[in-house]
Amino acid sequence: IPSLSAGSSRSNTNVFAFCTATPTNYFMVFTKQETFSLLNLLQILDSTGSVLQGATIKKDGSTGAIVVARIMRGGAADRSGLIHEGDELREVNGVPVEHKRPEEIVPILAKSDGAVTFKVIPGSKEELEAEGTKIFVRTLFDYNPREDPAIPCKDAGLEFRRGDVLQIVSQEDDTWWQARRHGDTNLRAGLIPSRQLQERRVALRRPEALFHAAGAPKPSAAGLRRSFRLSRKDIRVQETQIRWRKSQILVSKNFPSYQDVVPYSRKPGEPYRLVLLVGPSGVGVSELKRKLLLSDPERFSVPVPHTTRECRRHERDGVEYHFISKHMFENHILNHKFVEYGEHGGHYYGTSVDSVRTVLAESKVCLLDVEPHAVKTLYTTEFKPYVVLVKPPAMEQLRISRRRARILSGCAHVKPICHFFFQDADFEDMINTAQTMENKYGYLFEKIIVNDDLALAFAEIRAELARLEKETNWIPKTWLSQS
Ligand SMILES: Nc1ncnc2c1ncn2[C@@H]1O[C@H](COP(=O)(O)OP(=O)(O)OP(=O)(O)O)[C@@H](O)[C@H]1O
């Protein structure tokens, strides 16, 4: 029997039968058309006995006909090229299905012994060519089709974890897209909720961040930062807390579900991506940063902060700090030169955008810990920030791991003062703040690290940063348009 291309199978010639084999040993047989060109009898066999693999059916609301709702990209039905979305099923194994519901048809298919015969009227809808148009997204939520009551077919769903990169292979349906996990050897696509569906679903739920806002603005004992040198150290604590209060109430109206991404590989000589560490006060951001710096000072560095305080005898301008006048500092503020700035003990401290550029120009990986609202300033093509959220573990683990840890408060330039052990209230505050950060800024975080055991958290972040240099990165598509 001559092997025909999939496209020619839909021609209306008087084909009696043909057979084609795919790598999965999948066969299609067309028999003689019964009436005229549009009515085909299609027999599908496959070696595993599963039939119509990779397609879903539905009852057409207006005509009552059973139609093929979706062809899963890369699945057996898709590869056959013989059955298409919109095709009408008239018979299955000789049983008329016109007035049946889809759930009544499934048992007929299940009873089949390896081969099933369909009588199909090809639909008029032409398949949109998805080939060649590669759309990639980073997922911003976990999805399990088994737990989704709305999905039309749980078996056709694609499970994913937050942060996975998916290739979207079909967006023809407004509510259910088809996607493949990037790098997955399984070519068959799965159903995922479309952006529109997911964002509408989340918006309809009560936003958790709003929920937390009710009891949120509780000043934290761990609220003070130590310095600007090796940690975020406090920057106008009170103002930050006020800002947080507002931001918790003004929860974003958007709940991004997928972020459009494109592959990116750093070219030799190009600066490294800026590494931004974000996390609630006391969670261990400074500790992780300090460990990274100590582990490889040739590779990692931090920007030199600015201050208006006096230079001490052992200090050198441009090493510990850039010492500048109050007038100049305020000028820099007005000219938006700082990523973050604050006041402590009557002096200003701040990290300038230029000091970040200086580190990157030295071909080092620049580590910077910032409040989440400051990330947006650096979320540009120039810096291509890799943003990590450091989260606390659950209360029980916090109590155990921080048994001997002390809250570090004060300022490094006054010598770190560390006196208080963490209390449950500090842990609660840490957990709530991390949750609020995730709710509000989740789409910015490329990696979330839970800092339970310090050694493990450090090993994880170090491995992640090493991976970043070796593997293809996925950066927001918007950064391309900026350049
Ligand atoms: N996983 C951990 N296990 C035990 N102790 C930890 C862990 N992570 C951090 N710590 C300790 O918790 C305290 C606070 O950590 P750190 O100063 O790094 O927090 P931070 O996130 O930088 O907050 P801040 O900027 O307010 O100082 C320190 O004493 C640190 O040694």
Side-chain angles (χ1 to χ4, degrees):
I1 302 170
S3 172
L4 302 181
S5 72
S8 58
S9 65
R10 281 173 79 83
S11 73
N12 59 8
T13 53
N14 207 19
V15 175
F16 175 68
F18 82 84
C19 165
T20 183
T22 68
T24 54
N25 198 17
Y26 173 80
F27 300 93
M28 282 75 55
V29 180
F30 254 17
T31 60
K32 194 174 172 183
Q33 291 154 345
E34 284 190 332
T35 54
F36 66 108
S37 62
L38 283 180
L39 196 62
N40 291 327
L41 198 63
L42 172 67
Q43 189 178 42
I44 298 184
L45 311 164
D46 94 0
S47 58
T48 63
S50 45
V51 179
L52 198 62
Q53 272 192 338
T56 62
I57 51 175
K58 68 172 182 192
K59 202 172 182 79
D60 186 296
S62 53
T63 63
I66 295 292
V67 291
V68 177
R70 278 180 203 85
I71 298 292
M72 307 312 297
R73 300 296 184 270
D78 183 34
R79 292 199 307 276
S80 80
L82 293 173
I83 199 157
H84 296 73
E85 282 158 18
D87 285 355
E88 184 185 333
L89 286 193
R90 280 290 173 88
E91 282 180 15
V92 174
N93 282 351
V95 180
V97 294
E98 272 168 89
H99 302 294
K100 293 201 185 307
R101 285 174 287 126
E103 30 314 0
E104 293 173 295
I105 298 167
V106 175
I108 305 175
L109 290 166
K111 265 191 233 147
S112 316
D113 188 16
V116 187
T117 305
F118 295 101
K119 190 185 278 183
V120 176
I121 297 185
S124 55
K125 186 170 158 245
E126 278 307 312
E127 213 181 342
L128 288 177
E129 263 306 314
E131 295 291 327
T133 52
K134 294 210 170 175
I135 303 169
F136 294 100
V137 295
R138 190 193 331 275
T139 59
L140 301 174
F141 61 104
D142 293 337
Y143 181 66
N144 183 350
R146 312 237 150 251
E147 290 166 8
D148 186 349
I151 192 164
C153 172
K154 290 193 192 304
D155 287 335
L158 178 73
E159 186 173 348
F160 57 78
R161 305 280 303 164
R162 185 193 183 286
D164 285 351
V165 172
L166 307 181
Q167 185 192 347
I168 306 294
V169 291
S170 170
Q171 291 182 317
E172 286 163 39
D173 186 327
D174 282 347
T175 42
W176 296 98
W177 288 352
Q178 293 186 34
R180 271 181 214 127
R181 204 186 318 278
H182 177 66
D184 212 336
T185 46
N186 181 3
L187 286 180
R188 184 176 151 189
L191 286 185
I192 61 168
S194 70
R195 176 175 282 136
Q196 197 189 354
L197 171 64
Q198 183 61 20
E199 292 179 7
R200 205 176 48 217
R201 288 207 285 206
V202 177
L204 287 173
R205 279 185 222 140
R206 190 178 179 196
E208 275 191 50
L210 262 180
F211 180 72
H212 288 311
K218 189 159 40 107
S220 153
L224 287 167
R225 310 284 191 198
R226 283 170 291 165
S227 79
F228 264 105
R229 191 62 188 87
L230 284 175
S231 141
R232 288 165 284 187
K233 321 313 170 182
D234 181 29
I235 324 190
R236 320 176 162 172
V237 173
Q238 294 203 339
E239 193 184 300
T240 306
Q241 284 172 354
I242 291 164
R243 221 182 294 139
W244 263 104
R245 254 173 258 195
K246 283 185 191 152
S247 62
Q248 281 172 324
I249 292 158
L250 296 172
V251 173
S252 159
K253 286 190 187 70
N254 300 320
F255 302 93
S257 49
Y258 303 104
Q259 184 182 42
D260 289 325
V261 289
V262 287
Y264 164 76
S265 301
R266 189 180 73 92
K267 293 188 191 77
E270 237 185 286
Y272 287 101
R273 292 180 67 186
L274 170 64
V275 176
L276 293 180
L277 302 170
V278 175
S281 183
V283 75
V285 164
S286 308
E287 195 65 61
L288 289 171
K289 191 171 69 168
R290 191 179 63 82
K291 278 179 162 296
L292 284 170
L293 285 171
L294 289 175
S295 72
D296 195 346
E298 293 301 309
R299 184 161 154 242
F300 298 112
S301 189
V302 290
V304 176
H306 286 66
T307 182
T308 55
R309 78 151 165 76
E310 293 278 296
C311 177
R312 303 207 174 111
R313 229 179 308 138
H314 63 277
E315 291 174 333
R316 279 164 304 155
D317 188 24
V319 178
E320 285 81 11
Y321 290 96
H322 295 291
F323 296 94
I324 59 171
S325 68
K326 200 167 179 188
H327 175 72
M328 193 178 270
F329 200 105
E330 284 169 351
N331 243 332
H332 283 359
I333 295 175
L334 289 176
N335 290 315
H336 307 289
K337 295 218 167 187
F338 290 114
V339 178
E340 273 186 335
Y341 68 93
E343 221 178 321
H344 186 92
H347 301 293
Y348 281 128
Y349 296 87
T351 306
S352 73
V353 179
D354 279 345
S355 64
V356 173
R357 288 194 179 108
T358 305
V359 174
L360 295 175
E362 289 165 357
S363 292
K364 288 195 168 184
V365 177
C366 180
L367 306 175
L368 184 63
D369 50 323
V370 288
E371 294 292 340
H373 59 79
V375 171
K376 283 192 176 166
T377 318
L378 300 161
Y379 209 71
T380 61
T381 312
E382 180 187 3
F383 297 112
K384 296 185 185 62
Y386 178 75
V387 193
V388 181
L389 171 67
V390 182
K391 264 176 70 166
M395 184 62 116
E396 268 315 298
Q397 279 85 23
L398 270 175
R399 284 194 190 118
I400 297 166
S401 62
R402 270 62 170 186
R403 235 183 1 245
R404 282 189 285 277
R406 289 171 186 256
I407 297 168
L408 304 181
S409 61
C411 268
H413 53 281
V414 187
K415 204 172 177 209
I417 321 165
C418 345
H419 349 270
F420 310 109
F421 286 109
F422 285 97
Q423 306 292 315
D424 276 4
D426 301 311
F427 295 149
E428 265 168 37
D429 196 52
M430 227 189 260
I431 292 168
N432 288 341
T433 306
Q435 190 56 56
T436 307
M437 286 178 175
E438 205 177 341
N439 291 344
K440 188 165 194 288
Y441 298 99
Y443 61 98
L444 296 173
F445 306 134
E446 218 168 302
K447 175 78 191 164
I448 296 181
I449 287 189
V450 177
N451 183 15
D452 182 359
D453 179 280
L454 186 58
L456 289 181
F458 169 63
E460 188 178 354
I461 194 164
R462 197 150 184 229
E464 268 304 306
L465 297 182
R467 189 190 58 79
L468 213 60
E469 282 172 37
K470 281 192 219 106
E471 293 178 11
T472 301
N473 293 206
W474 292 91
I475 59 169
K477 202 174 169 190
T478 49
W479 290 350
L480 278 195
S481 49
Q482 282 172 16
S483 61

